[in-house]
Structure formats: C-alpha cells, structure tokens
Amino acid sequence: MSHITVDVRLRPIRFAFLVRPDDRKRTLEIFKVNTCLWGGKFNPIVPCFRQVPGWWDRHGHKFETAIQITNGYLDMFEPDFLVEAEPGLADGLGFDPNRVLQLGHMLARDGQARSSGCGQSVLDLYRHRYEAEFQFVRRHKHDIIDVVPRQAAFRNFAAAVFGAFPSDEDLRYFGRAYEDAFVPERISLDGQVLAGLYEKRFTSALRIGHSKVDVDYHNRDDPTLFVLDATQPRDLVDFWNLRAVRPHILPIPIQWAEELSGFCKDFIARNFRPLPGNPNGVMMHAHVMFARSVPTAEIEPLYARHFRTGVPGADVRQDWYPSIWRPAPDFTVRETRPTLTAGSRTVDSEFSQDKPYVRIDCLDPDFAEKYGNSSRWANVVRLRDWTFKDQLATVFPCDYRAPKFPKFEPLAATLPTTEGLISLVQYKESRHSWRMATGTAAINEWLRTHVITATLSDAGRATSQIIQALGGFGGVRSFAHPAIVKLLNSITRRPISPSIQHQEFRNKLESPLKGDHWRSRNFETLVERGAVELGMKLKCSKCSSWSWYAIDRMGYRVNCALCLQEFGFPVVEPAKGAEWAYRLVGPFALPNYATGGYAAALSIRFFADVVGHGHDNNVAWSAGQELAFGQNDRIEADFILWYQRKVMFGNDYPTQLVFGEAKSFRGENAEERREIDDAFDQRDVDRMKRLATEFPGSILVFSTMKKPEELSDDEIARISKLSEWGREYVRERRQSRAPVIVLTANELFAPYSLRDAWGKLGGKHEEFANAGMIRAENLRVLADLTQQLYLNLPPYSEWLRAKWERRAVRRKARLAPPAA
Ligand SMILES: [Zn+2]
C-alpha cells in the first residue's frame, strides 16, 4: 500500500481590491470593508489605471504598461477573489467571472440573510473573543483602541492604519459590535497623539481582525518609516500593500513630521544594532522611505530636518517604492507575500492504484459559526507522494485566475497556485475526496483543456515501463552509467535471445563502478526489480546452438528454439552444456537503447532527482507523447514535465512546462549507426520550436547520452539558433521566449547531484558548481549555463547587453544627419 502525505493549512480568503489609486471615497470604503473581514489587513489593493501615471516612477521611467502593473500585483498575491471598486475594473484580466465581486456586496447588510456577504466577517471573531476572554476581564486595563482623527482630512489615513467601520445605517452593526465586545479606548488622533501611540503597544480594530492568524514574513526586513502624504489615497494604498508583505512598517505623515521627528530619530538610533543571531556583525537599519507623492525636491529638506540622526552608519534614506508588482530577476532573492496560518494538519493518506482517492478533511476556524455565506475561508493543500514509484502527479501548472485543471472532484473547484492547491471551503466540517492521477493521465487531461489530444508512443510506453519497473528514479540511477547502458544494449543484440551469463553480467555491471560504495547495488537493483530474468542457457545436442530457457520451462527434455528438435538436459556434464544466464525482459529487451527509453528515463530523472538533489523540486512527468493539434498535425515529444521548485516554508515557484527531446548514443557498429538516428536534426529543432510557439514560455530540452565533444558542429549550430530565438525577451510575459537546455552525458549520467557531477569535471563546470549564487535548479539559469557550456553562447546577460548596444547604435545612425 502506498501513501500520500497531505498538508492542509487554514487561512482567511484573500481578496484583491481593484481601485483607481486616486479614488479617495472608494479606497476609504475598501479600508472599512477590510476592517470587517477576518484577515482583511492582508488583502492587497491593486491600483488600476489605463495609462501609467507620471507619479508612478519618481524618475519618469516606464518599465511596464498599466496592464502589466495590475497583472504584476495579481501574480504577487494570487488572490482567491477579485473585488471591483467600480464595475468593469476586472475586465481583460482573464479572471473567472464567478470569482469577481463588487465592493458594495462584500458585507451583509442589517436584515439580510446569513448567506449574503463574502468572506468571514469579524463578528464571529468578536463574539468568540468576547466569550473567551473579555467578558471576564472588562474591568481590567487593555490596549484596544478606536481611533478617530481630529481633522476630517486624516480620515483615510486613520482608516488605513488602524481600521474603521462603515457608517452606512445598515452596516453600523460592525462598529457597535466592536464597541460592545471590547469597550475600546477612544483615541482622538493628531500628530502628538500618533507619536504617543507609536511609543507604546496598542491593538487596533485592524489588528483584532486578524486574531488567530500566524503571519510568517519569511525573511528579515529592516523596519521602515514610510513617509507619506496622509491626504493622498495613492500613498495610503502603497502603505497598505507594503504592510501586507513586510513587517514593521510605520507610516509617518509629512503633515505631522514635526511632531513625529523626535520619535523617528529615536527609532532610527534604537534600531541601529547588530542583527540578532547574526555572527558576522551585520547591522539592522531603520529605513526612511519616501512615498511617491512626496515631491523629489522636498525629500532632502524634510529628511535633514526631521529624520537624519547623524549617528554614523544609522541613517538610510530610500526615495523609491519597492516594485512589488515586478517579478524578481532570477539572480536575486524574490519577495513573496507572507504565509498566513490559522491552523494546519498533516495526514498520511492510504492510497492504492485501483482506488486512487485522497481524503481531505478541511480545517475551519474555531470561532466561525456553523452557517454563513459560502467561501468564508480557504484551505491550502500540499501533497507529497512517497512510494508510488514517482508516477503520481502532485504538481500542477499554476493558474489562480481561471483554472480548468486540476479537477479532483466533479463540482468543487481547486486553484493551483504557488502556495499549494487552494480549496475554497463552503461549509464547516466539509470533507473532500480527491481523485488523483498519474503524471501521464494528468498531463493528458490538461492538454485536453487546450484542445490537444495526446497518445502515448511506443517509445513513451517503454520509458514509462522502465521507470515503473525500477520503482521510480532511485531505481533508474542503477543504469546511470554509459558502460551499463551500453552493456544492456549490447545484450539485446545477441543472437537467439537477449541473455548473458550470470557472472559475466555481474562483473560487467560492477567493474565500471569499482570503489563507488554508494552505487554498489546496481546489480541487485536491476535483478531484483526485474530488468532481467534468471534462466538457463542450454546447448542443443542436435544442432550445437545455445538457447535460453526460463526456469519454469526446463525439464529433462527440452525443445531447441532453433532446430525445434527435442534434446536431453546435459545431465552428464552440466558445466559444458548448461549455464545460468540472465535475459533482459520487457522494455529492457527492446533494441536501440530500449527504443530511446533509457535516454528519456535518464532525462526525466535528471529533473526529478539530480538538478535539485530531489529535495527542492518536484515533477509530474509523461514520456513519449504524440500531440495532435489538428487532424494531420501531430508532434511528438520524448518527455513532457511540470517542474516546480519547492520551498519548505513559503510559496513555491511557479510550475514550468518542459518539453524534451532525448537521444541515445551513436550506434556502436556500422549496422547500428544506420538504425540509430542519434543526431538532433532540423526536424527535431523545428518540432521544439513549434511546441514553444504553442506554449509560450515553456522550457525546451535537448538531451543526449553523448559527450559534449561528440555533438557535431551542425547540431550545435541548429540548437544555438533556436536558443537565440528562445532568448528573445517577450515583453508581454516579462521573460525570455523559450529557454533551451542542453543535457549531455555529464548530466544524464550524474550519479547524484548536478553540483557534485559538475564539481568533478573541473574548468567552467566546476566554476558554476562552486558559485553559491548560481541556482541551476532554476531552469532559466540552467538554460543559460548549459548554453554557455555546450553551445559556446555568451552568458545571457552579456548577450542581452550587446543586443541593446547594437540597437542603440542603429538608432543613433538613423538619427544622424546624412554625411555631406
Ligand atoms: Zn537445436
């Protein structure tokens, strides 16, 4: 019996509010709605505009279009629902219309049914906390506050920072419930009071709204004083979003800079201290960040007067707002949203092939009433497959917008995201039964949603059988050596039956790996897992030829496979007429390197086990598929993968789609050379290009068992040309078109990890292996590295720079006046 580990995590629903960033009225309403939603403080506010406004970048740079900015925010937060502040803002974003809501419908109005409204309201939470804590301690002092600004101009500011309740008559009950449950201290806010509040602990309505939620920000961030114009909605939106992704953000209105100056300078001096637990003397700094509304000319005078402490090394001024809408380049640490957890559970689920169901028991907040509106909270599910021979798909293409896949149940939707599989829970104590699929079945089903039919080819079947027979990629490692693959192939070419004397087999398997203690069990693996079958070779007394016999087909009389006559078992001199021998079985007996199955299996193993040590990545795979795009339009791929880099605590990276073409060795003799078409020819390259055109952004892999020096000049030229095509930057997707990876014997036969294999090769390989910053498990990085190693292309960054320079020269030439 196999088992699957199911991690379930409970968190509030994540709503992304779409609004024009200068809309004062509606941003205030958004702050208020979020005060009434459990976990509302962490819901992003996504600025929407038709044209990127001038204030967006202080220096007037236009790095992206308006729609790219909106999409960038969405990708950063992967919302469960969109909330339009005005109808139509979600148009063109490709979001499932059933998950687009209206701001005015978010909260249930007084007298409306329980089923109206969206998300989990704070009322259940207030009631629960009141019953559990506050009804007994009301007489004691607490630090819960209700903040109302002295001047109306600061209403938006106070709502963004502390929270505020709706004032509509039929929504007043939220504010009253807060009042009744906690009897908060009423704060009349001005600059002085704000400075006082920052000095002590306080609990605002916005903070109570995320009770029971653990927030993990994943990485250390220096505390930030965010200097903003309190009357500018766009600054408040920026503040809101920054606080949703980073800890320790304190807003400082320029209007109150005078009053807050003392506090700020003290804060900066106090925070200039060694980073706790860091032995290298790294210091913490409080940053003073200036919001986009603060005019550039005013920054220095403001800073000099109110913020600069003069303590050597302590002062850090930042004039730019972090571009949280922009994907991080591959060489930097990416910033992710925090992980919110209101409960988690890990269960091992029994699993069998004939009943491929995994049970998911949903987690609910303990404070939630039994009945309410639908989709009040979310469960994040992560699956880990332990024993099912690396066949089961537990990774899926990420799509939080309008996924058609995966469909584990006929009715319930699941959103595949970098966080995991999101299940929007409808009722308390609900339970799911998810139907799981193998990689091949899952990938085919997904292709069907793209109107593509896929059929397994013979080569694909052989690859699957090899991986399955050997019990997954751990077993595939048993033939990850050129001598072993060649040995297995040579046996298939033996006359009569693909068999080999037992001791010869053992010796030939073990001798290439003499002294390699960790791979000393290759022989046992291949024998025990059934790549070969033990039997006897008997010499026919009639025609003197040798044939192989299975153990259960032997007797005192046997039939010769060649002359078909019956002869007697050599009982008198068994040493001369009989010997124990292994025969290759199933896919292993197929000629031409198991019809390419070894190369494909080793290639898939590379992505599953070698490139990231098998820990920090996960693949779902399918081998040898013929894809039908139309009636007479078929393209074959030797393997298709979903590849995802896993992160233990935090969000995974987006899943990547990988198409691969795998080649075996050049044939060993003249006859084989004719049979085995081992070179990457133009058809292979065209096929891969076509796949990348159909699936923009996918990764293309050319893998061969050959050594790099055995690649012909023509092959290198062909693949280089495609690689340069793939290097082109696609603005719309904000990444290169189709990274091309080249794998050779160095990678396919790597015994353990890529780092280890490259480290032993010396030269450039070793250099790449030892550079700690280089993350080869990032396939875009791996593409760049292997293109340098095997195609002699310049590093991607250099290539891009040269291209820009050439373009600049051309432009200049065009603008220059014609020579006299
Ligand atoms: Zn015979």
Side-chain angles (χ1 to χ4, degrees):
M1 184 66 90
S2 308
H3 70 272
I4 271 198
T5 302
V6 183
D7 297 319
V8 182
R9 177 165 62 81
L10 169 69
R11 65 154 170 79
I13 296 271
R14 186 163 45 246
F15 298 97
F17 290 80
L18 306 177
V19 69
R20 285 180 293 113
D22 281 321
D23 189 333
R24 180 161 298 140
K25 181 168 154 265
R26 293 192 181 87
T27 48
L28 177 61
E29 197 181 341
I30 291 169
F31 301 148
K32 288 179 174 177
V33 166
N34 277 316
T35 308
C36 301
L37 289 174
W38 181 46
K41 197 174 105 180
F42 297 96
N43 289 329
I45 300 176
V46 179
C48 294
F49 26 67
R50 279 212 183 79
Q51 300 248 298
V52 183
W55 53 264
W56 189 255
D57 186 278
R58 188 173 291 288
H59 305 290
H61 296 308
K62 288 223 164 117
F63 291 105
E64 50 262 299
T65 60
I67 187 77
Q68 281 177 332
I69 290 170
T70 303
N71 280 324
Y73 275 94
L74 296 184
D75 289 346
M76 171 70 166
F77 289 97
E78 298 182 296
D80 305 320
F81 290 89
L82 295 186
V83 183
E84 292 180 325
E86 296 168 69
L89 288 180
D91 291 356
L93 296 177
F95 215 87
D96 177 0
N98 294 317
R99 292 190 290 123
V100 177
L101 311 169
Q102 299 304 316
L103 182 57
H105 300 162
M106 289 300 290
L107 303 176
R109 298 192 178 256
D110 212 358
Q112 278 182 332
R114 271 186 170 282
S115 56
S116 61
C118 308
Q120 171 65 49
S121 102
V122 289
L123 288 189
D124 291 354
L125 184 65
Y126 290 175
R127 190 174 304 118
H128 178 87
R129 289 202 61 177
Y130 171 75
E131 283 164 5
E133 311 157 49
F134 290 89
Q135 62 174 325
F136 311 113
V137 296
R138 289 180 87 174
R139 279 165 222 278
H140 299 282
K141 191 119 183 74
H142 60 62
D143 61 3
I144 299 172
I145 55 174
D146 179 24
V147 180
V148 179
R150 224 179 264 282
Q151 293 167 275
F154 290 87
R155 202 179 286 154
N156 282 42
F157 173 79
V161 180
F162 303 101
F165 292 100
S167 42
D168 309 26
E169 192 47 49
D170 51 3
L171 292 173
R172 286 279 266 279
Y173 67 98
F174 281 99
R176 278 199 297 270
Y178 184 64
E179 185 75 31
D180 290 349
F182 308 116
V183 197
E185 182 192 345
R186 185 79 171 218
I187 305 280
S188 185
L189 192 72
D190 61 19
Q192 285 295 337
V193 172
L194 186 62
L197 276 178
Y198 283 171
E199 293 285 2
K200 57 175 195 177
R201 286 182 57 87
F202 61 85
T203 304
S204 63
L206 212 46
R207 189 187 172 86
I208 286 203
H210 63 89
S211 304
K212 313 260 174 183
V213 179
D214 273 342
V215 185
D216 179 357
Y217 292 93
H218 306 305
N219 40 31
R220 167 192 75 92
D221 261 309
D222 293 309
T224 301
L225 298 171
F226 188 60
V227 184
L228 50 74
D229 184 337
T231 63
Q232 284 295 346
R234 60 186 191 233
D235 279 5
L236 297 175
V237 167
D238 275 351
F239 160 70
W240 181 280
N241 288 328
L242 199 59
R243 182 183 56 187
V245 293
R246 295 185 183 181
H248 322 303
I249 311 287
L250 281 181
I252 310 292
I254 45 170
Q255 289 85 349
W256 294 339
E258 185 88 50
E259 292 91 327
L260 285 155
S261 172
F263 161 78
C264 291
K265 287 182 180 174
D266 185 48
F267 182 85
I268 294 162
R270 218 169 44 220
N271 277 294
F272 183 56
R273 58 195 165 93
L275 183 64
N278 185 301
N280 304 319
V282 175
M283 297 294 280
M284 269 173 68
H285 295 89
H287 289 224
V288 179
M289 187 189 293
F290 285 86
R292 297 191 250 206
S293 284
V294 184
T296 304
E298 286 176 24
I299 291 179
E300 177 51 30
L302 264 172
Y303 185 68
R305 200 163 50 212
H306 301 302
F307 302 101
R308 187 175 286 136
T309 64
V311 176
D315 292 316
V316 181
R317 190 184 107 186
Q318 182 178 338
D319 298 354
W320 44 273
Y321 183 73
S323 49
I324 51 180
W325 60 89
R326 194 175 297 152
D330 291 327
F331 51 84
T332 58
V333 178
R334 73 192 169 136
E335 176 157 9
T336 57
R337 60 179 184 265
T339 300
L340 307 188
T341 306
S344 64
R345 184 197 289 143
T346 297
V347 189
D348 267 359
S349 188
E350 293 276 310
F351 189 87
S352 70
Q353 228 170 330
D354 36 303
K355 276 197 190 143
Y357 291 95
V358 167
R359 203 176 97 167
I360 316 274
D361 292 321
C362 293
L363 290 171
D364 311 312
D366 55 0
F367 61 82
E369 295 285 306
K370 182 141 191 181
Y371 301 102
N373 55 295
S374 61
S375 301
R376 284 182 291 165
W377 53 83
N379 275 193
V380 183
V381 179
R382 291 169 68 145
L383 302 168
R384 281 174 289 159
D385 167 26
W386 291 107
T387 46
F388 195 51
K389 300 180 178 178
D390 294 318
Q391 296 268 320
L392 209 62
T394 55
V395 45
F396 305 93
C398 298
D399 180 4
Y400 60 89
R401 294 184 194 227
K404 293 197 188 105
F405 182 87
K407 206 112 182 96
F408 297 113
E409 286 173 307
L411 294 174
T414 314
L415 312 177
T417 71
T418 63
E419 200 177 352
L421 299 156
I422 312 294
S423 173
L424 303 170
V425 181
Q426 301 256 342
Y427 311 102
K428 226 176 165 179
E429 289 155 25
S430 51
R431 191 179 278 178
H432 295 275
S433 184
W434 282 5
R435 187 188 171 88
M436 305 301 295
T438 64
T440 303
I443 287 171
N444 288 3
E445 200 184 314
W446 174 78
L447 285 167
R448 267 199 297 281
T449 67
H450 284 78
V451 205
I452 294 166
T453 334
T455 13
L456 203 60
S457 66
D458 290 346
R461 197 163 297 115
T463 309
S464 289
Q465 285 168 353
I466 287 170
I467 297 170
Q468 206 158 14
L470 294 176
F473 297 109
V476 170
R477 196 172 74 182
S478 64
F479 64 83
H481 193 286
I484 295 176
V485 174
K486 283 180 179 167
L487 169 69
L488 294 172
N489 190 56
S490 72
I491 301 171
T492 65
R493 307 191 63 81
R494 295 190 172 192
I496 314 295
S497 74
S499 63
I500 180 169
Q501 198 264 340
H502 75 106
Q503 196 57 48
E504 184 191 355
F505 186 57
R506 181 167 200 152
N507 291 344
K508 284 191 167 165
L509 267 178
E510 289 181 344
S511 69
L513 297 168
K514 274 252 148 58
D516 188 341
H517 177 68
W518 295 104
R519 290 204 284 175
S520 60
R521 288 192 54 81
N522 284 349
F523 169 73
E524 284 86 347
T525 304
L526 288 171
V527 173
E528 286 167 5
R529 301 208 175 154
V532 293
E533 179 184 7
L534 183 65
M536 271 211 142
K537 265 167 94 171
L538 300 179
K539 190 177 178 183
C540 170
S541 57
K542 305 278 164 55
C543 71
S544 298
S545 59
W546 289 83
S547 302
W548 185 91
Y549 297 86
I551 288 179
D552 57 4
R553 283 199 41 228
M554 263 182 309
Y556 287 104
R557 309 289 306 169
V558 285
N559 282 313
C560 172
L562 216 68
C563 70
L564 306 176
Q565 298 187 67
E566 199 181 66
F567 66 94
F569 191 92
V571 286
V572 180
E573 260 190 307
K576 277 193 177 162
E579 61 184 34
W580 289 107
Y582 292 113
R583 187 184 69 145
L584 296 176
V585 295
F588 299 91
L590 294 171
N592 299 339
Y593 299 94
T595 56
Y598 295 138
L602 288 170
S603 305
I604 301 170
R605 165 193 177 250
F606 173 82
F607 290 99
D609 256 12
V610 177
V611 70
H613 307 262
H615 300 304
D616 31 18
N617 58 344
N618 191 2
V619 300
W621 61 272
S622 155
Q625 295 267 38
E626 202 183 58
L627 311 183
F629 290 90
Q631 195 94 75
N632 290 314
D633 187 7
R634 292 165 187 281
I635 290 191
E636 197 173 333
D638 288 337
F639 57 91
I640 306 175
L641 311 175
W642 289 328
Y643 174 95
Q644 188 171 37
R645 293 165 70 196
K646 291 279 173 189
V647 176
M648 185 72 90
F649 305 103
N651 295 338
D652 298 326
Y653 288 83
T655 302
Q656 283 172 310
L657 176 64
V658 180
F659 291 105
E661 177 72 32
K663 298 280 187 206
S664 309
F665 287 110
R666 189 179 298 278
E668 288 295 284
N669 50 47
E671 189 193 340
E672 249 189 17
R673 268 199 289 280
R674 268 200 308 281
E675 281 173 25
I676 302 174
D677 180 18
D678 68 314
F680 295 111
D681 60 25
Q682 194 54 46
R683 280 178 323 205
D684 296 324
V685 172
D686 291 344
R687 216 160 36 217
M688 296 295 259
K689 188 170 177 178
R690 171 78 196 278
L691 289 168
T693 314
E694 296 284 342
F695 298 95
S698 53
I699 311 266
L700 307 178
V701 181
F702 291 86
S703 69
T704 172
M705 292 204 231
K706 287 195 284 192
K707 291 191 188 129
E709 57 270 26
E710 289 167 345
L711 285 167
S712 73
D713 291 348
D714 284 347
E715 284 179 286
I716 292 177
R718 268 180 219 121
I719 302 173
S720 295
K721 198 171 165 212
L722 181 70
S723 301
E724 294 201 83
W725 176 83
R727 279 181 167 195
E728 291 292 340
Y729 185 78
V730 180
R731 239 191 108 122
E732 200 182 308
R733 299 180 62 87
R734 294 194 291 183
Q735 49 184 208
S736 58
R737 178 150 51 193
V740 172
I741 294 171
V742 180
L743 303 179
T744 66
N746 292 337
E747 290 76 32
L748 296 195
F749 295 125
Y752 322 104
S753 71
L754 182 69
R755 189 162 292 248
D756 164 82
W758 279 7
K760 286 180 181 147
L761 286 170
K764 231 175 173 176
H765 283 95
E766 192 183 359
E767 205 181 291
F768 288 155
N770 292 340
M773 284 298 288
I774 293 180
R775 310 302 310 223
E777 67 271 19
N778 177 344
L779 297 189
R780 289 178 172 272
V781 172
L782 182 68
D784 186 14
L785 300 179
T786 61
Q787 288 175 16
Q788 291 177 53
L789 290 169
Y790 304 132
L791 305 176
N792 303 314
L793 289 180
Y796 179 61
S797 54
E798 255 174 50
W799 177 88
L800 205 60
R801 198 177 318 125
K803 199 176 145 73
W804 282 107
E805 278 164 14
R806 277 200 306 277
R807 186 173 295 181
V809 168
R810 276 204 306 275
R811 192 166 297 162
K812 221 171 178 176
R814 263 206 312 276
L815 294 175

